[in-house]
């Protein structure tokens, strides 16, 4: 029986183990089964279109597996027989197909206009005839992108200037009446009917009761985090506050969660009974700003003692660390952060700024240089260039050579 009091170090190592950082990277080529096993462990991978270095959904697997073929992710996410699907889970996300029935309650909330989905339901009420026409068009003609539909007029303001067709297909996506058939070109989503795109083995599964589905999502979150507070668990799949206490109490009652205290954590924590207890973590990884390990900034600060914020929307002159900053995981600590940009025309991965955390050691620039060189090769770039900005820049440039 696991103990009910953890040190901060034990909790951090359990969390890193749950996220896949206690296992050495595979030797040799990485196969599809290894990628799928990782995604199943994580439960969800966030999607984001920012492509300064790489779109974020490619990065969690790189951080944990190393230089895997990027085409593998495209195959499992958007290939003809893909085992993943897209939906709003943490944010826009890729998930194993088995999670689709578990999120139907959220699709129903979107239809009913519950909470954040009020705008979706309102557009459906106000433009119902138009939305039905869009749905009929895709039903008749097959998968289409919003730009192919060319229905309605271009929007101004509001939903980032979306056209009516874009608003319609996105609303239908959130209500579950459409899903992603594939992506094409510059990451444009192509929409199709779930019954045509997803396997019948998934669409035929009866919709579970809301409470059952939410309990299972909490179990997946607990497994992926190892040890977590109630807020951590809610954030993983953006679960509603309403009903959260009841669901967690039920999971404690059935043994799916074990209440524990963690030294230095203010709130009650919950341990996955099946969590690994690594004695040591020897990870070396650059982390996407949207990586599962650090996407909830309160948890990141609590676990690693690092205040991390993405500064994309901060004016350049007010940024502290840079535009697209990736923290560096070294062992079981975040020891540095680098502002990266992939200059594809020049074949160069540019380190626009590099900063060390106070506890970084002499090995930090050397290990970080190894990881940057690995990333450059994985991205198809020829070299790494370190700009002389930040307190780590000089030693990192020397380590890059």
């Amino acid at each position: 029986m696991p103990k009910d009091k953890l040190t901060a170090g034990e909790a951090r190592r359990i969390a890193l183990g749950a996220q896949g950082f206690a296992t050495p990277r595979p030797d040799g080529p990485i196969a599809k089964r290894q990628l799928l096993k990782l995604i199943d462990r994580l439960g969800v991978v966030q999607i984001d279109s920012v492509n300064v270095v790489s779109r974020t959904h490619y990065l969690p697997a790189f951080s944990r597996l190393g230089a895997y073929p990027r085409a593998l992710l495209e195959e499992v996410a958007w290939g003809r027989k893909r085992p993943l699907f897209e939906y709003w889970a943490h944010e826009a996300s890729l998930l194993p197909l088995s999670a689709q029935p578990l999120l139907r309650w959220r699709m129903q909330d979107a239809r009913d206009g519950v909470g954040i989905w009020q705008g979706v339901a309102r557009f459906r009420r106000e433009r119902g005839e138009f939305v039905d026409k869009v749905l009929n068009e895709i039903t008749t003609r097959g998968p289409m992108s919003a730009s192919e539909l060319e229905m309605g007029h271009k929007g101004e303001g509001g939903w980032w200037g979306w056209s009516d067709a874009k608003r319609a297909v996105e609303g239908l996506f959130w209500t579950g009446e459409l899903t992603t058939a594939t992506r094409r070109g510059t990451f444009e989503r192509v929409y199709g009917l779930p019954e045509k795109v997803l396997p019948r083995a998934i669409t035929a599964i009866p919709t579970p009761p809301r409470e059952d589905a939410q309990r299972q999502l909490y179990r997946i979150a607990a497994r992926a985090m190892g040890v977590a507070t109630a807020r951590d668990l809610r954030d993983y799949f953006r679960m509603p506050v309403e009903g959260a206490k009841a669901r967690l109490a039920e999971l404690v009652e059935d043994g799916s969660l074990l209440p524990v205290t963690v030294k230095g954590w203010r709130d009650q924590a919950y341990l996955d009974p099946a969590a690994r207890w690594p004695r040591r973590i020897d990870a070396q990884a650059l982390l996407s700003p949207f990586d599962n390990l650090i996407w909830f900034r309160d948890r990141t600060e609590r676990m690693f003692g690092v205040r991390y914020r993405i500064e994309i929307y901060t004016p350049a002159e007010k940024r502290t660390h840079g535009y697209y900053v990736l923290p560096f995981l070294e062992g079981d600590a975040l020891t540095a952060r680098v502002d990266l940009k992939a200059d594809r025309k020049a074949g160069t991965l540019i380190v626009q700024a590099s900063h060390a955390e106070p506890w970084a050691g002499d090995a930090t620039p050397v290990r970080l240089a190894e990881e940057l060189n690995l990333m450059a090769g994985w991205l198809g770039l020829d070299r790494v260039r370190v700009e002389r900005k930040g307190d780590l820049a000089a030693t990192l440039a020397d380590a890059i050579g």
Side-chain angles (χ1 to χ4, degrees):
M1 180 73 178
K3 60 184 182 180
D4 59 5
K5 294 182 180 180
L6 309 181
T7 67
E10 286 173 331
R12 184 168 57 252
R13 290 189 293 274
I14 288 169
L16 286 163
Q19 282 282 301
F21 289 108
T23 305
R25 286 172 173 168
D27 292 326
I30 294 156
K32 185 191 300 185
R33 61 177 176 78
Q34 293 164 301
L35 177 60
L36 290 176
K37 183 178 179 181
L38 172 63
I39 295 172
D40 183 67
R41 173 197 286 270
L42 298 177
V44 57
V45 174
Q46 185 172 334
I47 299 171
D48 191 82
S49 61
V50 176
N51 199 23
V52 178
V53 180
S54 168
R55 291 191 173 94
T56 188
H57 39 280
Y58 293 97
L59 287 169
F62 170 75
S63 299
R64 293 156 177 82
L65 299 176
Y68 74 101
R70 292 162 62 88
L72 267 188
L73 181 67
E74 295 160 8
E75 179 184 347
V76 299
W78 300 294
R80 187 175 177 185
K81 294 184 178 180
R82 91 288 305 270
L84 306 181
F85 80 107
E86 281 188 43
Y87 192 59
W88 195 92
H90 180 77
E91 294 282 340
S93 304
L94 288 167
L95 306 99
L97 281 168
S98 57
Q100 198 272 349
L102 303 178
L103 288 163
R104 291 178 191 166
W105 60 270
R106 180 166 284 161
M107 298 172 190
Q108 186 62 53
D109 281 356
R111 293 187 190 99
D112 296 340
V114 175
I116 64 171
W117 307 108
Q118 293 178 25
V120 174
R122 183 168 56 250
F123 185 77
R124 183 64 179 267
R125 287 195 308 270
E126 294 173 354
R127 301 296 308 278
E129 184 178 345
F130 176 78
V131 173
D132 289 342
K133 186 178 179 183
V134 168
L135 185 57
N136 182 66
E137 194 77 4
I138 292 174
T139 301
T140 303
R141 297 174 56 187
M144 300 176 69
S145 66
S147 61
E148 287 174 311
L149 283 161
E150 295 182 346
M151 303 168 72
H153 63 275
K154 293 291 182 182
E156 295 180 4
W159 290 18
W160 302 283
W162 285 0
S163 68
D164 286 352
K166 178 65 171 176
R167 293 180 68 178
V169 290
E170 283 294 287
L172 290 164
F173 172 81
W174 286 324
T175 62
E177 294 166 89
L178 292 178
T179 191
T180 304
T182 190
R183 294 268 187 170
R184 68 162 71 113
T186 56
F187 205 53
E188 184 179 34
R189 181 186 279 148
V190 179
Y191 303 83
L193 300 177
E195 57 268 30
K196 299 290 187 181
V197 172
L198 305 180
R200 176 166 170 72
I202 296 299
T203 58
I205 294 174
T207 298
R210 175 183 297 253
E211 294 80 5
D212 290 353
Q214 291 183 353
R215 276 191 292 269
Q216 185 58 21
L217 289 170
Y218 275 121
R219 290 188 187 100
I220 295 169
R223 183 189 67 193
M225 286 188 281
V227 61
T229 66
R231 287 185 66 216
D232 297 339
L233 290 166
R234 284 208 322 270
D235 178 76
Y236 206 78
F237 286 106
R238 298 293 167 87
M239 303 296 280
V241 174
E242 183 180 356
K245 287 184 179 179
R247 299 296 82 76
L248 292 178
E250 292 156 2
L251 292 169
V252 170
E253 180 67 24
D254 73 13
S256 297
L257 294 177
L258 299 178
V260 295
T261 59
V262 178
K263 187 174 181 180
W265 290 22
R266 182 180 58 191
D267 298 327
Q268 171 74 64
Y270 300 90
L271 177 70
D272 170 23
R276 296 177 58 187
W277 289 59
R279 293 186 178 182
R280 185 170 181 268
I281 299 288
D282 192 31
Q284 179 174 301
L286 288 160
L287 302 174
S288 158
F290 308 109
D291 190 285
N292 306 47
L293 181 67
I294 60 170
W295 63 24
F296 187 32
R297 309 308 187 202
D298 178 76
R299 177 175 169 85
T300 302
E301 189 165 355
R302 187 185 339 121
M303 284 209 310
F304 296 104
V306 170
R307 188 179 186 278
Y308 173 66
R309 298 291 185 273
I310 191 164
E311 299 179 282
I312 288 175
Y313 304 110
T314 302
E317 66 277 7
K318 294 183 178 180
R319 291 178 194 139
T320 304
H321 295 102
Y323 179 79
Y324 199 78
V325 175
L326 282 70
F328 179 57
L329 176 67
E330 180 184 357
D332 67 353
L334 298 180
T335 60
R337 53 185 102 189
V338 285
D339 179 22
L340 299 183
K341 179 180 180 180
D343 185 339
R344 294 169 179 87
K345 288 185 178 179
T348 304
L349 180 61
I350 305 171
V351 184
Q352 301 185 116
S354 47
H355 295 85
E357 302 300 341
W359 45 84
D362 292 341
T364 297
V366 176
R367 297 188 72 178
L368 177 54
E370 291 174 357
E371 203 63 19
L372 288 165
N373 282 320
L374 181 68
M375 175 176 276
W378 176 64
L379 294 173
L381 305 174
D382 301 321
R383 65 191 69 84
V384 177
R385 187 179 81 229
V386 180
E387 302 288 355
R388 300 285 175 157
K389 183 177 181 181
D391 58 12
L392 190 61
T395 53
L396 180 59
D398 290 343
I400 290 291

